[in-house]
Amino acid sequence: MRIGMAKKKMIESKNVWKDHNIPIELKLKLLKCLIWPVMMYGCEAWSQKKDDDKRIEAAEMWFYRRILRVKWTDKRTNESVLKELKTERTLLNLINARKLKYVGHALRNHRTSLINENCV
């Protein structure tokens, strides 16, 4: 559901992504501060499976391809898109880091119980 919301937000702001006067570096920064928060909202509580990881990585590549205006029919590898943007896949790592931070926070808080169902 979050992937769909993020894609919708990306489509709504298509004027930014299609503008030739905005440098790609700025578009990447805009992506990370406008679109990724929509995608990652509440990710600390997600129960994540391998299939979900693949969907998240596919969505990240979809965002990058939209920035470069690469059509889905073009024969471009993900590596070539990442190389052109001079970036790496980081969205899944950010989500996992947020989950670990939340677990650490919950373990330090004496009123939060991750094991018991009876939270105070």
Side-chain angles (χ1 to χ4, degrees), residues 15-62:
N15 294 337
V16 174
W17 315 122
K18 289 186 177 186
D19 192 348
H20 293 283
N21 296 324
I22 300 174
I24 290 179
E25 294 82 18
L26 180 59
K27 289 180 183 181
L28 280 174
K29 288 181 182 179
L30 289 171
L31 172 73
K32 291 177 182 177
C33 67
L34 295 176
I35 307 300
W36 283 11
V38 173
M39 173 111 174
M40 293 192 302
Y41 179 78
C43 68
E44 298 87 356
W46 294 349
S47 58
Q48 215 168 316
K49 298 182 177 98
K50 287 288 183 187
D51 191 42
D52 298 328
D53 291 349
K54 288 180 184 177
R55 284 190 180 127
I56 291 168
E57 286 185 341
E60 182 178 9
M61 288 309 302
W62 185 86

Side-chain angles (χ1 to χ4, degrees), residues 58-118:
E60 182 178 9
M61 288 309 302
W62 185 86
F63 296 141
Y64 291 151
R65 287 171 180 270
R66 291 290 285 208
I67 288 175
L68 291 177
R69 294 179 301 278
V70 176
K71 297 177 185 174
W72 68 273
T73 56
D74 292 346
K75 303 273 187 192
R76 293 273 312 262
T77 63
N78 290 339
E79 288 76 25
S80 70
V81 171
L82 292 170
K83 187 182 280 187
E84 185 174 345
L85 288 173
K86 298 177 187 139
T87 189
E88 297 176 349
R89 293 183 190 204
T90 57
L91 186 58
L92 190 59
N93 291 336
L94 281 174
I95 289 171
N96 290 333
R98 281 188 174 197
K99 289 178 133 194
L100 286 174
K101 279 184 183 179
Y102 177 73
V103 169
H105 165 73
L107 288 174
R108 285 188 300 275
N109 189 349
H110 70 280
R111 293 181 294 164
T112 305
S113 174
L114 296 175
I115 299 170
N116 297 335
E117 295 178 7
N118 302 330

